[in-house]
Amino acid sequence: MLKKLFRSKSLESLQAQADEPKHQLKKNLSTFDLTMFGIGAIIGAGIFSSIGTAAAGNLADGRWPAGPALVISILLVAVGCGFTALAYAELASMIPVSGSAYTYAFATMGELMAWIIGWDLLLEYAVSNVAVAISWGDYARSFLANVMHIRIPGWLAMDPRSALALVPGTPPATVARKLEVLAQARAGHLDGASFFANWDVLRDAPLVHGFPFTMNLLAVVITVVITYLVYLGIKESARANAVMVVVKVAILLAVVAIGFRFVNPGNWHPFAPHGFKGIQAGAAIIFFAFIGFDAVSTTAEECRDPGRSLPRGILFSLGICTAIYALVALVVTGMLKYTQLAGKADPLAYIFTHNNMNAVAGVISFGAVIATTAALLVYQVGQPRIFMAMSRDGLLGPWFGKVSASHRTPANATFLTGLLVAVPAALLNIDEVVELTNIGTLFAFSVVCGAVMILRLRRPEAPRRFRMPWIFVLAPAGILACIWIARGLPAVTWIRFVVWLAIGLVIYFAYGQRNSVLQTGTEEP
């Protein structure tokens, strides 16, 4: 039994499987396209929203402020991600197959670990895209209201849990109790504002059997639009992404250029108000802003020259984004005391509004909308290709691997990913998904660092267009960096992660293990 669980696939069989006509995708992507995809994925909601939380912290939740030393947090995360990026670059040049870390795990650690990573990658791509879609909805609503003067009703812009949130200091209440008070308040017998933090939303929301109907409509709309674009074709997606990347990078560089004129060096003192523990806490939060460079590897089968372009796209995008992030962090903490960023969902726009530059703040809000749109696009490209790779191996049904005859994209998996993002984005709170995404990604990064060492020992003769330098130093350092960042996450996140993996194992033993191509004999082990 154990031998079956740890059967691996050869590099040759993985490549042959991808080359089958029924599985082939269009090979349209260049190094430029891949670099743009990487930047598009990395620069998303994270830098526009989490940079304030990372700098100011939240001591009530056990998060120590990084303060101006956030720039150190960023550089440390970049170094840790850099180790992993080198591992991805070598593996992608060796195994130019869609599936990313899932495929690399199958080639080195066997079927069970491949399934675990494939299930885990749902956290990085589909689940993280829920957070990105929610952020997009928030930024788009703000932009429409403040710049376009178009008002979206509150009940069409908020998830049910947030809508029913209580006023701070109010004793906890069950859902039944909340609905009871809501009914009384709607009837005019109580002051709803004294009980519900978002009474203005609940007051106008339609009721379904006494329950207020609220949803994040804009998050659903953008998910549907992006999903259809991804279905149309990889080149169409690449062109749209490139335009959005140019816009958002230009806006962030403008933030730096304009903001440096208003920097007060006194705001950088004390530089690290809570020492290294603050820097570590900041790293754990800002890590979400670095997720995405690995998504480049999911497009391996659509590259013209994957051995050359994939490593360059991964490393170029990470390097460019690190430089931009560091400059933005210095400006943000230099323009305003870090303590004033606490609780600010749009810190970049806030600091310019604080300095009476409302027009610049409006442009930044537009940039946030563009940034989250591009990130949403790249993640929607990545997840279907992982589903497709798992389907080829029999771990998911053949329905997941169906390729559109006209567009040569994984059609069913693309539309399923859209559904998996749109529904939770309409109904969930962003805080419920961000940290789960972080720990899932850190786990995948650790596995990739282990996989590159295994293949260097097991298949030293295999062609490698890119070789990770000092592999037996940097790959373990990448694993240790992931562990260090993960230690900054709350205990409840670890518990949720274990539960998530347990659910995945149930599905594997109920379906995947029984239908694996290695089990059914449709492919030689």
Side-chain angles (χ1 to χ4, degrees), residues 15-208:
Q15 186 62 62
Q17 198 174 35
D19 289 339
E20 293 177 4
K22 66 178 180 179
H23 291 148
Q24 282 188 352
L25 306 177
K26 284 185 178 180
K27 297 184 181 296
N28 284 322
L29 301 180
S30 63
T31 298
F32 174 80
D33 294 324
L34 295 177
T35 302
M36 287 299 194
F37 263 127
I39 297 173
I42 297 171
I43 300 180
I47 191 62
F48 284 91
S49 58
S50 63
I51 194 168
T53 302
N58 187 340
L59 293 177
D61 291 338
R63 303 183 191 285
W64 295 96
L70 177 61
V71 67
I72 303 299
S73 302
I74 288 172
L75 295 177
L76 289 175
V77 171
V79 170
C81 288
F83 297 149
T84 305
L86 291 170
Y88 267 102
E90 176 167 327
L91 290 170
S93 72
M94 291 180 67
I95 316 173
V97 176
S98 295
S100 188
Y102 161 79
T103 299
Y104 308 149
F106 215 146
T108 55
M109 302 177 189
E111 183 177 287
L112 177 61
M113 182 56 75
W115 169 267
I116 291 173
I117 289 300
W119 181 251
D120 172 72
L121 286 175
L122 268 170
L123 295 178
E124 181 179 355
Y125 293 103
V127 176
S128 72
N129 238 6
V130 173
V132 175
I134 293 171
S135 292
W136 190 95
D138 292 342
Y139 275 115
R141 185 189 181 209
S142 175
F143 177 76
L144 289 173
N146 298 328
V147 179
M148 307 295 292
H149 304 295
I150 298 174
R151 304 287 174 181
I152 303 295
W155 61 273
L156 285 177
M158 186 173 291
D159 62 277
R161 180 175 175 179
S162 296
L164 287 169
L166 304 178
V167 171
T170 303
T174 63
V175 173
R177 173 58 180 161
K178 290 180 180 180
L179 296 181
E180 179 185 342
V181 173
L182 175 61
Q184 295 177 7
R186 294 273 295 240
H189 303 312
L190 291 175
D191 178 15
S194 65
F195 192 81
F196 295 107
N198 294 299
W199 171 241
D200 57 327
V201 172
L202 293 176
R203 182 183 56 220
D204 302 324
L207 298 178
V208 180

Side-chain angles (χ1 to χ4, degrees), residues 18 137 239-240:
R239 288 170 180 163

Side-chain angles (χ1 to χ4, degrees), residues 150-320:
I150 298 174
R151 304 287 174 181
I152 303 295
W155 61 273
L156 285 177
M158 186 173 291
D159 62 277
R161 180 175 175 179
S162 296
L164 287 169
L166 304 178
V167 171
T170 303
T174 63
V175 173
R177 173 58 180 161
K178 290 180 180 180
L179 296 181
E180 179 185 342
V181 173
L182 175 61
Q184 295 177 7
R186 294 273 295 240
H189 303 312
L190 291 175
D191 178 15
S194 65
F195 192 81
F196 295 107
N198 294 299
W199 171 241
D200 57 327
V201 172
L202 293 176
R203 182 183 56 220
D204 302 324
L207 298 178
V208 180
H209 300 294
F211 195 93
F213 176 81
T214 67
M215 65 177 293
N216 193 330
L217 178 63
L218 291 176
V220 175
V221 170
I222 190 59
T223 302
V224 171
V225 171
I226 291 297
T227 299
Y228 183 68
L229 176 59
V230 171
Y231 164 73
L232 288 180
I234 192 66
K235 195 61 181 178
E236 291 79 2
S237 299
R239 288 170 180 163
N241 175 71
V243 172
M244 289 186 285
V245 165
V246 170
V247 171
K248 66 183 178 181
V249 168
I251 289 174
L252 285 174
L253 292 179
V255 166
V256 172
I258 297 172
F260 260 123
R261 297 169 51 200
F262 299 91
V263 165
N264 175 8
N267 289 331
W268 289 332
H269 301 286
F271 185 70
H274 291 275
F276 199 69
K277 60 185 177 183
I279 292 173
Q280 183 182 25
I285 294 173
I286 207 66
F287 176 75
F288 184 70
F290 275 89
I291 295 174
F293 66 86
D294 54 307
V296 173
S297 63
T298 66
T299 64
E301 294 176 34
E302 290 148 296
C303 299
R304 296 172 192 157
D305 185 2
R308 176 177 180 271
S309 296
L310 283 169
R312 292 187 176 193
I314 292 169
L315 297 173
F316 288 173
S317 60
L318 180 61
I320 292 169

Side-chain angles (χ1 to χ4, degrees), residues 323-370:
I324 293 173
Y325 282 5
L327 290 172
V328 170
L330 286 172
V331 168
V332 168
T333 56
M335 288 182 68
L336 205 63
K337 196 69 176 177
Y338 75 92
T339 53
Q340 295 178 264
L341 296 171
K344 298 296 183 292
D346 53 349
L348 296 188
Y350 174 76
I351 59 173
F352 282 94
T353 301
H354 185 79
N355 283 275
N356 299 315
M357 290 183 283
N358 294 329
V360 177
V363 172
I364 292 172
S365 295
F366 175 71
V369 172
I370 295 298

